[in-house]
Amino acid sequence: AQSVAQPEDQVNVAEGNPLTVKCTYSVSGNPYLFWYVQYPNRGLQFLLKYITGDNLVKGSYGFEAEFNKSQTSFHLKKPSALVSDSALYFCAVRGPGAGSYQLTFGKGTKLSVIP
Amino acid sequence: DTAVSQTPKYLVTQMGNDKSIKCEQNLGHDTMYWYKQDSKKFLKIMFSYNNKELIINETVPNRFSPKSPDKAHLNLHINSLELGDSAVYFCASSQGLRPSTDTQYFGPGTRLTVL
């Protein structure tokens, strides 16, 4: 079974500082990995995904994520945090193969950017 | 020009009632999903349809029944509502199921409160 762990319930960072939101995964075979963001009372918005190729994936709003196969991690990063980045961030994984349609989400990490 | 829309946005009802939530996407996608987000923000897939065919049917009570009249719509009908059904229900769609087309786009959610 596939799973995702987001070890931090909450991450606090000062505006202008770099931010990292952690994610590790477990899946059979090569993973497909996603990051989504949820603003209060809104649906999830797609940020970025890793399928194959370059381990550093760039996404929306200046976010990027680094795929590390040996550590089974896919941490989300941004060089300089904005107050408007404050939201709930979800990592998700699906497995390879035609039958692996299901996206499994982590429990989410609340990011607070302090002015 | 909303991509994935849900109605209603809020639904407050009594235990034992039957209710429906509607979802429509105007993206021309082939695949649609229903998720449940509980009070702890945990997100879990319930159902998925691809080209009007049910492909994911997670372990949910059979009081929940999805219906896809066409590829642009996936409705969720809930019979005999219980207190534990209170949650936010999200609809999502993706172009397809292959890794290159499986990015999911979410609706704004329907907050269901069962009294």
Side-chain angles (χ1 to χ4, degrees):
Chain A
Q2 59 198 39
S3 65
V4 172
Q6 292 182 243
E8 302 151 319
D9 289 338
Q10 176 141 359
V11 170
N12 297 322
V13 64
E15 187 177 22
N17 282 3
L19 70 87
T20 299
V21 183
K22 295 179 180 177
C23 171
T24 58
Y25 66 89
S26 173
V27 72
S28 298
N30 293 322
Y32 303 121
L33 294 155
F34 302 76
W35 276 103
Y36 282 84
V37 60
Q38 185 178 25
Y39 297 100
N41 300 313
R42 303 281 294 276
L44 277 72
Q45 293 180 33
F46 171 73
L47 279 179
L48 51 83
K49 77 189 270 189
Y50 170 82
I51 301 176
T52 187
D54 194 347
N55 289 342
L56 186 64
V57 180
K58 293 190 184 297
S60 307
Y61 313 122
F63 284 93
E64 57 189 29
E66 187 163 13
F67 171 63
N68 187 318
K69 188 171 183 178
S70 62
Q71 296 185 2
T72 62
S73 67
F74 190 57
H75 301 330
L76 181 70
K77 300 182 181 187
K78 187 173 182 182
S80 178
L82 300 172
V83 172
S84 58
D85 293 329
S86 299
L88 188 59
Y89 290 80
F90 290 95
C91 182
V93 68
R94 64 166 285 187
S100 299
Y101 308 132
Q102 187 169 326
L103 205 59
T104 299
F105 284 84
K107 63 180 173 57
T109 298
K110 183 178 179 183
L111 173 68
S112 292
V113 181
I114 302 154
Chain B
D1 61 344
T2 304
V4 182
S5 59
Q6 295 178 229
T7 53
K9 191 171 172 63
Y10 300 96
L11 185 53
V12 181
T13 188
Q14 300 287 330
M15 263 196 316
N17 284 351
D18 303 339
K19 291 293 179 185
S20 291
I21 307 173
K22 295 186 177 182
C23 178
E24 177 181 5
Q25 53 93 4
N26 63 5
L27 296 166
H29 288 172
D30 288 339
T31 312
M32 296 185 72
Y33 311 80
W34 275 110
Y35 287 88
K36 179 180 180 180
Q37 187 175 45
D38 63 22
S39 58
K40 295 186 178 179
K41 304 295 185 184
F42 184 66
L43 199 63
K44 187 164 169 53
I45 183 76
M46 299 174 69
F47 302 104
S48 178
Y49 273 74
N50 184 59
N51 285 317
K52 294 174 55 183
E53 179 186 347
L54 183 65
I55 58 165
I56 295 176
N57 186 5
E58 284 298 289
T59 308
V60 299
N62 57 15
R63 298 181 294 104
F64 290 79
S65 54
K67 279 208 171 82
S68 182
D70 54 59
K71 287 200 300 184
H73 296 84
L74 180 62
N75 303 323
L76 183 66
H77 189 75
I78 316 170
N79 288 330
S80 304
L81 277 155
E82 300 178 357
L83 293 176
D85 297 333
S86 295
V88 180
Y89 292 84
F90 286 102
C91 178
S93 73
S94 65
Q95 186 178 349
L97 295 170
R98 293 193 307 273
S100 59
T101 62
D102 66 347
T103 298
Q104 294 181 28
Y105 296 88
F106 283 74
T110 295
R111 183 175 294 275
L112 171 65
T113 303
V114 182
L115 303 175

